[in-house]
Amino acid sequence: MNSPRNSFTAPIPSLKGGLPLFGHALEFWRDPVSLIQHGRDRHGDVFAFQLFGRTMNVFTGIGGATAVLKSPDTVLSARDAYRFTVPIFGRGIAYDAPPELMDQQLSMIHPALRDERMQRYGEFIAAEVADHVEIWGDSGEVDLLETMNEITIRSAGRCLIGANFGTSLASRFAALYHDLQGGINMVAFFAPGFPTLANRRRDRARRELVELMAPLIAQRRASGRRCDDFLDTLITSRSADGMDLNDDTITGLLLTLLFAGQHTSAVLATWTGLLLLQSPRHLAPVLAEQTEVLASEGMTLAALKQLIRLERCIKEAERMHPPLTILIRKVLKDFEFGAHRVPAGEYVIVSPAVSHRNPEIFADPCRYDPDRFAVPREEDRRTPNALIGFGGGKHRCIGLAFAYQQIKVIWSVLLQRYSFELVDKVQGPDYTTFDVGPRQPCRVRYSCRVSSRQTASAALVS
Ligand code: HEM
């Protein structure tokens, strides 16, 4: 049911159409970005639509998106919007924790994101990519999204859980992770506890993952050995009352990071490559930069930071195809923006995918143009919250630097070793998954630039 809207305020226009009970669920499920773009074209910056009896208020303008992202948790709650994550991350963890506790939990992760650790992750990721392409031979074809998924699962495993991941855990972990991913769907969004087959599999996988991790955590605690991974950081963290974190919390926080960062990174790495390979004009300077920067320095953190052309291409992929196309909040206290008021109980949405195509922010927004981020244009800096592929405000992504570094490392190893060309025409986004990647197939043909005996890791990692 629509909540009555306050007569003092300008009513928020509602999108017509939709089915009884379902509202606009079918269009939303097929292509949420077109639905929101259509609403914006028809009604302007702010409008509402119905989803299974809930009113979703969309803020697509510059000021509206900023107001939503900056709003405190007591007014607009991410926690109440992302209940579907609770059976995956666990009870009392991340979005199931009160906001102050979630802040504490995320701050425990910060030491794992310091520069000296980032340098090590860069090395691990370069080694994983080199390992992955070991069986490629001198030429062939691969699907880019599958490739990026495989590389980022192994890289995430290595950086989160450590060297053991590659040797003993990988295949069991991957199967359980797959069942957990099955628990992210529209039914789970509104009724996370509903006993569908996918949700039962999800719950079993969560229990088994804790069992799988328990001996590893016990071994680490017993040995007292320090390691360069997120698990080490969590094992050595203390809660606010000075206690060790228990196994369930450690596993839950690792799952939070894995879910937040793995598929999103795979998708952004894929878009980065597809868009770049489509544009030889931009690929050539990226290759030149590889030679200039990495040939002399190796793949150090400092060198990776100098890959600014590649970085602009990642940014442009983030702008054109943000992996998270919508960000949602539940309204806990009436939310006011300009003349509009959204009553408590409804939802608000900000869409990076739609905001990033706003011509008031980005010139000729449908054109692939990484140079829009270069001095003097810097289109992302002229407006607050112009680029929101990693969110903004209080809930801005903590893994942005990690994700950018990971994608830089992956593409640096690949581009130094192979030349690529597209096999398939690049297709549009595939909205069947929560993190939106390109529709498959998205195959590329590769051929080796260097002798197959000279490994990329040896050439690149200092
Ligand atoms: C391309 C890769 C990534 C993308 C596009 C991405 C995107 C986002 C976005 C849009 C948000 C805000 C969600 C909201 O406001 O509703 C977010 C939050 C978050 N991300 Fe990422 N992310 C990526 C990688 C990572 C990585 C690698 C990690 C961990 C190492 C990570 C950890 C988190 C966490 C913990 C949050 C919640 C922050 C909070 O609510 O305070 N993300 N991410």
Side-chain angles (χ1 to χ4, degrees):
M1 287 274 292
N2 256 342
S3 309
R5 294 181 182 282
N6 194 323
S7 57
F8 298 104
T9 57
I12 296 180
S14 279
L15 204 57
K16 297 265 176 313
L19 299 168
L21 273 171
F22 286 80
H24 292 86
L26 288 182
E27 296 106 299
F28 184 78
W29 181 69
R30 264 189 233 120
D31 182 345
V33 175
S34 294
L35 177 73
I36 291 173
Q37 188 63 55
H38 167 66
R40 177 177 160 82
D41 294 344
R42 197 166 181 80
H43 295 297
D45 284 353
V46 185
F47 68 94
F49 68 93
Q50 294 296 307
L51 201 60
F52 294 117
R54 271 88 164 172
T55 303
M56 316 300 281
N57 299 273
V58 191
F59 289 80
T60 64
I62 301 165
T66 299
V68 169
L69 293 172
K70 288 210 158 156
S71 214
D73 288 310
T74 47
V75 178
L76 297 183
S77 166
R79 176 180 193 232
D80 289 72
Y82 297 144
R83 300 304 297 162
F84 68 93
T85 62
V86 176
I88 298 172
F89 301 166
R91 285 268 157 221
I93 298 163
Y95 291 116
D96 194 47
E100 319 75 64
L101 180 57
M102 180 172 171
D103 286 349
Q104 281 169 27
Q105 291 173 345
L106 295 187
S107 68
M108 289 177 199
I109 293 158
H110 288 147
L113 291 166
R114 291 202 188 112
D115 271 7
E116 65 277 12
R117 296 287 284 276
M118 294 287 278
Q119 166 74 38
R120 295 289 289 146
Y121 304 144
E123 292 164 13
F124 298 154
I125 295 164
E128 290 295 345
V129 184
D131 217 37
H132 185 88
V133 300
E134 201 54 38
I135 53 163
W136 273 17
D138 285 346
S139 62
E141 265 178 34
V142 285
D143 184 285
L144 209 49
L145 184 55
E146 263 169 40
T147 302
M148 292 304 170
N149 237 329
E150 286 163 16
I151 290 175
T152 51
I153 287 181
R154 294 193 67 93
S155 303
R158 177 63 187 86
C159 299
L160 291 172
I161 297 172
N164 273 33
F165 184 79
T167 51
S168 53
L169 286 178
S171 57
R172 187 70 197 124
F173 197 98
L176 295 172
Y177 179 48
H178 177 263
D179 284 353
L180 279 177
Q181 281 178 313
I184 299 183
N185 53 59
M186 187 108 84
V187 177
F189 182 81
F190 289 111
F194 199 73
T196 57
L197 184 61
N199 286 353
R200 288 207 303 271
R201 282 204 185 115
R202 171 200 67 192
D203 295 343
R204 194 169 52 230
R206 174 70 173 66
R207 284 193 298 275
E208 282 186 35
L209 263 167
V210 177
E211 286 163 19
L212 191 70
M213 290 296 294
L216 185 66
I217 297 172
Q219 230 174 45
R220 281 275 187 99
R221 288 197 209 277
S223 76
R225 192 165 54 90
R226 300 301 309 264
C227 300
D228 288 330
D229 52 42
F230 286 73
L231 176 58
D232 180 274
T233 304
L234 293 175
I235 286 179
T236 51
S237 291
R238 299 282 172 273
S239 62
D241 49 9
M243 307 290 283
D244 285 348
L245 303 185
N246 63 31
D247 291 3
D248 190 71
T249 304
I250 291 177
T251 306
L253 286 172
L254 289 173
L255 285 173
T256 304
L257 298 174
L258 185 67
F259 269 81
Q262 183 271 322
H263 197 241
T264 42
S265 299
V267 158
L268 188 56
T270 306
W271 282 120
T272 301
L274 292 178
L275 296 174
L276 195 50
L277 295 177
Q278 238 181 349
S279 176
R281 195 165 78 77
H282 292 103
L283 180 59
V286 165
L287 291 173
E289 179 184 69
Q290 290 281 313
T291 314
E292 277 160 36
V293 176
L294 297 180
S296 54
E297 266 202 63
M299 206 177 296
T300 59
L301 195 60
L304 288 167
K305 286 181 181 164
Q306 288 172 49
L307 296 177
I308 51 171
R309 285 185 189 281
L310 180 56
E311 185 167 308
R312 282 184 216 135
C313 295
I314 304 173
K315 259 194 189 181
E316 185 65 337
E318 175 196 337
R319 185 189 71 81
M320 296 188 82
H321 295 292
L324 297 182
T325 56
I326 53 168
L327 312 177
I328 311 176
R329 302 286 184 267
K330 186 162 185 193
V331 184
L332 299 187
K333 285 189 199 147
D334 289 5
F335 169 68
E336 297 192 13
F337 173 70
H340 299 300
R341 174 179 295 168
V342 183
E346 297 190 355
Y347 290 81
V348 298
I349 288 182
V350 167
S351 170
V354 172
S355 292
H356 290 174
R357 303 270 178 149
N358 182 345
E360 289 164 30
I361 307 178
F362 295 107
D364 199 359
C366 293
R367 194 158 72 93
Y368 179 68
D369 180 10
D371 296 336
R372 66 176 76 244
F373 300 110
V375 179
R377 290 169 63 194
E378 296 185 295
E379 292 179 9
D380 55 326
R381 292 183 173 220
R382 291 181 315 195
T383 319
N385 290 304
L387 196 66
I388 50 171
F390 288 79
K394 182 175 180 302
H395 288 282
R396 186 157 195 260
C397 181
I398 61 166
L400 187 155
F402 182 98
Y404 262 71
Q405 177 180 301
Q406 177 173 30
I407 298 169
K408 279 184 180 175
V409 171
I410 292 173
W411 275 111
S412 295
V413 176
L414 292 178
L415 289 173
Q416 295 226 336
R417 192 158 177 169
Y418 298 98
S419 59
F420 292 90
E421 58 182 292
L422 296 171
V423 173
D424 303 299
K425 187 171 177 301
V426 177
Q427 305 187 65
D430 171 7
Y431 294 108
T432 56
T433 53
F434 192 71
D435 312 323
V436 177
R439 282 205 294 272
Q440 290 172 288
C442 46
R443 288 168 300 171
V444 293
R445 191 171 299 119
Y446 58 86
S447 49
C448 207
R449 287 185 201 280
V450 293
S451 140
S452 49
R453 283 197 305 278
Q454 185 190 346
T455 65
S457 57
L460 290 170
V461 180
S462 61

